[in-house]
């Protein structure tokens, strides 16, 4: 990098969005939450809608999402983000409203709110981070925990006879007429990140057109909860999560 | 749907539930989120008829849990919002209420109290006094609790409830019962649009460049910060206690026996006071209109020269604990209650009062 | 070959190394130094960077700002 002539001719090709605060994320090393936060804020910045956007944070690791996303935000009770978002969006029908929820929040305690919000076709974007574990409380079994996956409350592995099956919420909501756009994405590779950002952009664009609910699942990693290092968590995600939660669109306007 | 013009002041014959719903529209309610439950479903029904061609939004939620969280979101977005339910539904809302109180969001609730515990009965009751007045959900918080005793007050307290909720950034509750909700009376309705409204600066309406993000939250991980929040809330409740106590008195001037009752019970006790006076017993009624803040001071004053107090409720004795705190041992406090959705008669209350009078006369002899 | 480089907010880096495997030019490595948060942080180990942004895309802590040789300067070089 001693070649100063080259440095002078460099142009900026990527910087983090100014809608993302400079505060250091409290997430564990390698955690996908940071990428998901950044992508949402990149889209908000690129669309120029930060003055019209209201986010709803969940309970879980991303409970402090409002420390990082520099838009107006509300902190919902565990599982109630979709109801809170409904209240906001009904009062402010021309604004952009999104929820950011983990698997415990959205697919266990908040199942009813999620299903009914999508079924009403609320004009909101739901971002669903699925890492198959309760991260914040220390790695307990989640509704999306895989069969035989070891967690601190399924120490011998998730036995479906006793603990039920992994819940594929995204497949479930795709069947609802209120869902306009349903997709499953990930953030573990550069390509996955590019696709995920496109999906997030779609979700906001459809909201602008008052098309109904957009639902974007983001399959993510939890190195601490999975008890692996960040690099291995990417491999674990590919080997175990993706077969159960395959990436791709589940409902695309005009195609279903 | 085509919007109609604002309604002028009107006098009408209405059910309590309908008067409450109509008053909410006239008070400029921006949003209503509710779930059907007897004996208050008329409120949601009335609003689904009226709101589409008047103002605001109305939504039937999938549960009371969802409804109260929609209220959280909508209140946080700066709206004047209301939900209503009856006892079991109000129990489901307690989590959300605790969050709303902690995040200091103004909103109005009505509990058209029915008999419990459990699924109980759909008949009128006052069994939710503790839940309404002492917090109900987790943590140290208070609701502003208004207790109407007529259809007129069912309407008036909607305006008052919104006003106090917004003044103090605190949830307010109208605590009525099934009979008040269902009875029909004359009601003088205020003109629509007569309650001033502004979008509060803390609301999450989208962040303009000039300010940082508005955040609505009740999460404060650091103990020092959480204690600070608690101290702030307690200071606010103290201000409310100093400034917002409301009560009505009847025949209290020379009363030797003071009956204390709220809501429907107070209407019955008023008759008891008349019957007692006919028999030469100097009885009077103190009717708290605000249950939080409670008229401790006034009751304590009266305790100085009253022979005894008789608290009457449609429960096993809840407000009586506050009456005893207020009386503070200055004189005896008796209780008469009915439960399970049974409304006491003026005569059966009079019987208790006569026994108290006999006992007190015997003590003085 | 397109030239690029990255600026790294080392104090925000948690040393997760996800950028290392995402980098097609193999030009990132952890230092032996430790930042204020107690993590070994990432740095450029050579000048092979093309400014492809892969590191920035996968970085959970948004530590990368990416620069690339401008098209006009490339023309000049030719």
């Amino acid at each position: 990098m001693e070649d100063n002539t080259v440095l002078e001719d460099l142009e900026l090709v990527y910087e983090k969005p100014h809608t993302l605060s400079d505060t250091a994320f409290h997430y564990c090393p390698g955690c996908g939450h940071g990428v998901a936060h950044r992508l949402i804020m990149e889209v908000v910045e690129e669309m120029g809608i930060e003055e019209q956007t209201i986010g709803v944070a969940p309970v879980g690791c991303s409970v402090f999402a409002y420390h990082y996303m520099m838009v107006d935000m509300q902190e919902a009770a565990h599982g109630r983000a979709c109801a809170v978002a409904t209240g906001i969006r009904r009062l402010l029908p021309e604004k952009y409203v999104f929820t950011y929820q983990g698997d415990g929040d959205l697919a266990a305690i908040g199942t009813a709110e999620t299903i009914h919000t999508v079924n009403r076709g609320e004009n909101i974007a739901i971002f669903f981070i699925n890492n198959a574990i309760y991260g914040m409380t220390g790695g307990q079994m989640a509704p999306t925990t895989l069969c035989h996956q070891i967690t601190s409350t399924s120490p011998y592995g998730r036995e479906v006879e006793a603990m039920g099956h992994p819940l594929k919420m995204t497949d479930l909501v795709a069947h609802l007429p209120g869902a306009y756009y349903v997709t499953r994405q990930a953030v573990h590779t550069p390509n996955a990140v590019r696709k995920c950002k496109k999906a997030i952009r779609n979700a906001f664009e459809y909201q602008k057109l008052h098309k109904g609910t957009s639902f974007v699942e983001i399959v993510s990693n939890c190195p601490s909860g999975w008890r692996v290092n960040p690099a291995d968590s990417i491999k674990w995600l590919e080997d175990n999560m993706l077969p159960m939660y395959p990436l791709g669109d589940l409902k695309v306007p005009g195609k279903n | 749907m085509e919007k109609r013009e604002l309604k002028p002041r009107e006098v009408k014959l209405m059910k309590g539930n309908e008067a409450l719903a109509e008053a909410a529209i006239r008070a400029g309610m921006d949003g209503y989120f509710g779930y059907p439950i007897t004996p208050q479903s008329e409120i949601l029904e009335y609003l689904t008829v009226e709101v589409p061609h008047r103002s605001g939004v109305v939504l039937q939620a999938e549960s009371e849990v969802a409804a109260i969280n929609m209220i959280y979101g909508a209140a946080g977005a700066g709206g004047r919002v209301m939900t209503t339910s009856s006892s079991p539904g109000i129990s489901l809302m307690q989590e959300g209420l605790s969050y709303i109180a902690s995040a200091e969001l103004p909103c109005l609730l009505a509990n058209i109290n029915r008999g419990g515990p459990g699924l109980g009965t759909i008949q009128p009751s006052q069994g939710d006094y503790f839940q309404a007045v002492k917090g109900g959900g987790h943590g140290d918080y208070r609701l502003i609790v208004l207790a109407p005793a007529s259809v007129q007050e069912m309407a008036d307290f909607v305006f008052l409830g919104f006003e106090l909720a917004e003044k103090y950034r605190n949830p307010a509750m109208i605590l009525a019962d099934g009979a008040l909700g269902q009875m029909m009376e004359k009601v003088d309705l205020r003109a629509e649009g007569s309650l001033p409204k502004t979008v509060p600066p803390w609301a999450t309406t989208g962040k303009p460049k000039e300010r940082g993000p508005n955040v609505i939250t009740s999460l404060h991980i650091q103990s020092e910060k959480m204690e600070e929040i608690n101290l702030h809330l307690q200071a606010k409740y103290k201000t409310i206690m100093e400034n917002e106590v409301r009560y009505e008195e009847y025949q209290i001037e020379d009363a030797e026996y003071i009956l204390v009752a709220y809501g429907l019970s107070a209407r019955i006790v008023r008759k008891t006071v008349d019957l007692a006076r006919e028999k030469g017993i100097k009885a009077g009624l103190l009717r708290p209109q605000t249950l939080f803040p409670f008229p401790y001071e006034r009751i304590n004053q009266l305790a100085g020269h009253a022979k005894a107090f008789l608290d009457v409720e449609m429960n096993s004795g809840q407000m009586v604990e506050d009456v005893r705190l207020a009386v503070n041992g200055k004189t005896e406090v008796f209780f008469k209650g009915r439960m399970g959705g049974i409304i006491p008669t003026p005569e059966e209350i009079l019987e208790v009062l006569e026994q108290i009078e006999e006992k007190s006369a015997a003590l003085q002899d | 070959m397109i030239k690029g480089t990255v600026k790294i907010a080392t104090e925000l880096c948690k040393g997760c190394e996800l950028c290392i495997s995402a980098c097609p030019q193999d030009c990132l490595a952890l230092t032996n130094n430790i930042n204020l948060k107690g993590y070994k942080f990432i740095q450029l180990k050579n000048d092979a960077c093309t400014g492809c942004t892969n590191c920035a895309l996968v970085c959970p802590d948004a530590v990368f700002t990416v620069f690339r040789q401008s098209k006009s300067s490339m023309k000049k070089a030719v």
Side-chain angles (χ1 to χ4, degrees):
Chain A
M1 300 325 301
E2 284 75 32
D3 189 348
N4 288 326
T5 56
V6 171
L7 271 174
E8 275 167 22
D9 285 331
L10 291 176
E11 59 186 19
L12 180 70
V13 285
Y14 180 84
E15 66 176 338
K16 73 169 181 176
H18 73 268
T19 41
L20 196 69
S21 80
D22 293 329
T23 314
F25 288 122
H26 69 280
Y27 302 115
C28 305
C31 172
H33 271 307
V35 181
H37 284 14
R38 194 187 76 227
L39 294 182
I40 294 169
M41 287 300 101
E42 282 180 11
V43 168
V44 165
E45 181 177 88
E46 284 166 22
M47 288 178 71
I49 57 170
E50 59 199 88
E51 296 187 23
Q52 286 95 47
T53 302
I54 297 121
V56 182
V59 170
C61 284
S62 50
V63 68
F64 283 126
Y66 52 82
H67 283 176
Y68 314 117
M69 303 196 201
M70 291 292 99
V71 293
D72 279 1
M73 288 196 75
Q74 294 197 19
E75 169 59 45
H78 196 28
R80 317 297 174 221
C82 282
V84 170
T86 297
I88 300 169
R89 178 70 199 210
R90 289 285 172 131
L91 267 276
L92 306 171
E94 299 308 320
K95 306 278 171 156
Y96 296 84
V97 179
F98 72 88
T99 72
Y100 186 101
Q101 302 174 260
D103 40 57
D105 191 89
L106 179 139
I109 194 167
T111 314
E113 285 81 1
T114 307
I115 297 279
H116 284 276
T117 298
V118 178
N119 196 47
R120 286 190 302 267
E122 296 292 342
N123 267 304
I124 63 168
I126 299 172
F127 300 118
F128 165 39
I129 312 300
N130 176 11
N131 57 16
I133 208 149
Y134 282 76
M136 186 178 71
T137 43
Q140 293 82 13
M141 182 177 66
T144 53
T145 291
L146 303 171
C147 301
H148 310 301
Q149 186 182 337
I150 290 172
T151 71
S152 67
T153 51
S154 58
Y156 309 108
R158 181 178 190 161
E159 298 299 338
V160 295
E161 295 80 5
M163 304 167 185
H165 298 264
L167 183 58
K168 297 173 98 166
M169 271 305 269
T170 307
D171 299 61
L172 210 61
V173 300
H175 291 291
L176 303 173
Y180 187 71
Y181 172 57
V182 180
T183 186
R184 186 183 288 119
Q185 301 293 331
V187 289
H188 64 303
T189 65
N191 251 345
V193 171
R194 284 188 191 96
K195 286 185 188 163
C196 185
K197 184 174 169 185
K198 184 76 178 54
I200 292 169
R201 174 85 189 219
N202 288 342
F204 279 102
E205 293 286 356
Y206 292 138
Q207 197 177 156
K208 190 181 194 172
L209 302 172
H210 295 243
K211 290 291 189 185
T213 312
S214 291
F215 190 98
V216 181
E217 174 178 344
I218 300 172
V219 179
S220 189
N221 60 337
C222 180
S224 301
W226 295 353
R227 308 281 189 263
V228 291
N229 69 42
D232 290 347
S233 77
I234 301 304
K235 185 163 174 7
W236 199 91
L237 182 148
E238 284 172 342
D239 293 348
N240 300 283
M241 293 287 281
L242 297 188
M244 183 65 184
Y245 303 110
L247 305 185
D249 295 333
L250 284 86
K251 193 173 193 178
V252 177
K255 286 196 190 164
N256 298 76
Chain B
M1 218 172 283
E2 204 185 321
K3 298 281 176 187
R4 287 186 203 153
E5 281 177 17
L6 296 185
K7 297 223 173 190
R9 183 180 161 188
E10 275 176 295
V11 179
K12 284 188 159 187
L13 181 69
M14 288 184 107
K15 259 190 174 191
N17 283 338
E18 291 174 351
L20 183 142
E22 174 60 30
I25 299 174
R26 286 167 180 255
M29 178 178 68
D30 297 307
Y32 174 91
F33 303 88
Y35 186 80
I37 182 172
T38 308
Q40 63 82 54
S41 299
E42 296 86 356
I43 299 172
L44 175 58
E45 287 171 351
Y46 187 93
L47 291 170
T48 52
V49 171
E50 290 295 316
V51 162
H53 52 78
R54 291 175 70 183
S55 65
V57 293
V58 59
L59 180 63
Q60 178 171 333
E62 63 270 28
S63 67
E64 289 89 348
V65 175
I68 194 68
N69 285 284
M70 290 171 185
I71 289 287
Y72 178 100
R80 182 172 283 166
V81 290
M82 178 174 90
T83 186
T84 62
S85 189
S86 181
S87 310
I90 297 288
S91 291
L92 281 172
M93 292 184 181
Q94 293 305 322
E95 177 204 35
L97 272 175
S98 171
Y99 281 67
I100 288 170
S102 182
E104 294 198 272
L105 298 175
C107 66
L108 182 61
L109 291 95
N111 178 1
I112 311 300
N113 198 168
R114 63 188 240 186
L119 201 47
T121 163
I122 58 171
Q123 300 305 321
S125 162
Q126 297 181 322
D128 299 350
Y129 177 92
F130 281 153
Q131 188 196 52
V133 169
K134 306 296 179 188
H138 59 285
D140 280 324
Y141 75 92
R142 299 292 189 144
L143 307 177
I144 295 166
V145 185
L146 308 173
S150 63
V151 173
Q152 183 64 52
E153 282 187 340
M154 288 287 270
D156 290 346
F157 286 3
V158 169
F159 281 81
L160 179 62
F162 278 132
E163 234 177 270
L164 294 176
E166 287 164 21
K167 182 174 175 187
Y168 294 104
R169 285 188 64 177
N170 203 69
M173 176 186 273
I174 292 175
L175 183 62
D177 62 68
L180 283 166
Q182 298 299 326
M183 70 167 66
M184 288 188 95
E185 280 184 326
K186 188 183 87 169
V187 54
D188 185 350
L189 294 160
R190 280 174 64 173
E192 193 170 348
S194 56
L195 194 62
K197 196 180 343 185
T198 50
V199 178
W202 45 260
T204 58
T205 51
K207 184 197 90 67
K209 284 189 183 64
E210 309 83 74
R211 66 159 168 84
N214 279 346
V215 174
I216 305 288
T217 185
S218 62
L219 176 65
H220 309 281
I221 287 280
Q222 281 169 332
S223 303
E224 291 77 9
K225 177 68 182 166
M226 196 64 235
E227 188 180 48
E228 196 184 298
I229 298 280
N230 269 287
L231 289 170
H232 164 71
L233 290 177
Q234 293 306 317
K236 179 171 83 174
Y237 303 145
K238 189 164 172 278
T239 310
I240 294 172
M241 288 193 271
E242 284 164 2
N243 296 302
E244 306 299 346
V245 173
R246 285 166 172 80
Y247 53 86
E248 190 189 64
E249 293 176 343
Y250 179 64
Q251 302 274 38
I252 214 85
E253 286 297 301
D254 62 341
E256 293 173 341
Y257 298 93
I258 294 173
L259 289 93
V260 186
Y262 74 93
L264 188 68
S265 307
R267 291 172 73 109
I268 295 149
V269 168
R270 203 179 160 98
K271 178 74 179 165
T272 305
V273 168
D274 291 341
L275 294 175
R277 291 266 168 182
E278 280 169 25
K279 292 200 169 187
I281 304 169
K282 287 183 176 172
L285 164 68
L286 183 129
R287 174 174 76 90
Q289 291 166 303
T290 53
L291 301 179
F292 181 85
F294 190 75
Y296 289 108
E297 220 171 290
R298 179 58 181 156
I299 290 175
N300 188 266
Q301 251 173 18
L302 293 171
H305 36 83
K307 284 185 179 164
F309 277 73
L310 173 58
D311 175 278
V312 181
E313 298 174 69
M314 284 149 56
N315 58 38
S316 64
Q318 298 188 18
M319 182 174 73
V320 67
E321 295 191 1
D322 284 317
V323 175
R324 287 202 177 106
L325 279 174
V327 168
N328 201 15
K330 283 186 182 172
T331 183
E332 276 200 279
V333 178
F334 298 89
F335 172 73
K336 168 67 183 170
R338 293 300 300 264
M339 286 167 283
I342 293 172
I343 302 169
T345 64
E347 291 76 15
E348 68 179 300
I349 301 166
L350 181 65
E351 248 174 67
V352 178
L353 184 61
E354 284 175 324
Q355 284 164 15
I356 296 166
E357 197 228 0
E358 272 169 38
K359 193 182 155 195
S360 148
L363 278 173
Q364 276 166 14
D365 286 345
Chain C
M1 197 69 187
I2 302 165
K3 294 285 285 179
T5 190
V6 293
K7 201 175 94 189
I8 300 168
T10 53
E11 284 309 321
L12 297 178
C13 180
K14 295 180 186 139
C16 74
E17 303 183 65
L18 294 187
C19 55
I20 294 178
S21 45
C23 177
Q25 297 297 109
D26 189 26
C27 55
L28 292 165
L30 284 186
T31 63
N32 280 322
N33 298 323
I34 286 173
N35 66 16
L36 288 175
K37 283 195 175 290
Y39 295 112
K40 285 186 177 180
F41 52 87
I42 212 78
Q43 67 176 4
L44 276 172
K45 66 177 182 186
N46 56 42
D47 61 358
C49 177
T50 61
C52 74
T53 73
N54 273 9
C55 54
L57 289 174
V58 299
C59 177
D61 292 286
V63 307
F64 293 100
T65 308
V66 186
F67 301 89
R68 197 185 296 154
Q69 191 178 10
S70 65
K71 278 178 187 153
S72 55
S73 75
M74 281 167 71
K75 276 178 199 154
K76 262 185 264 168
V78 174

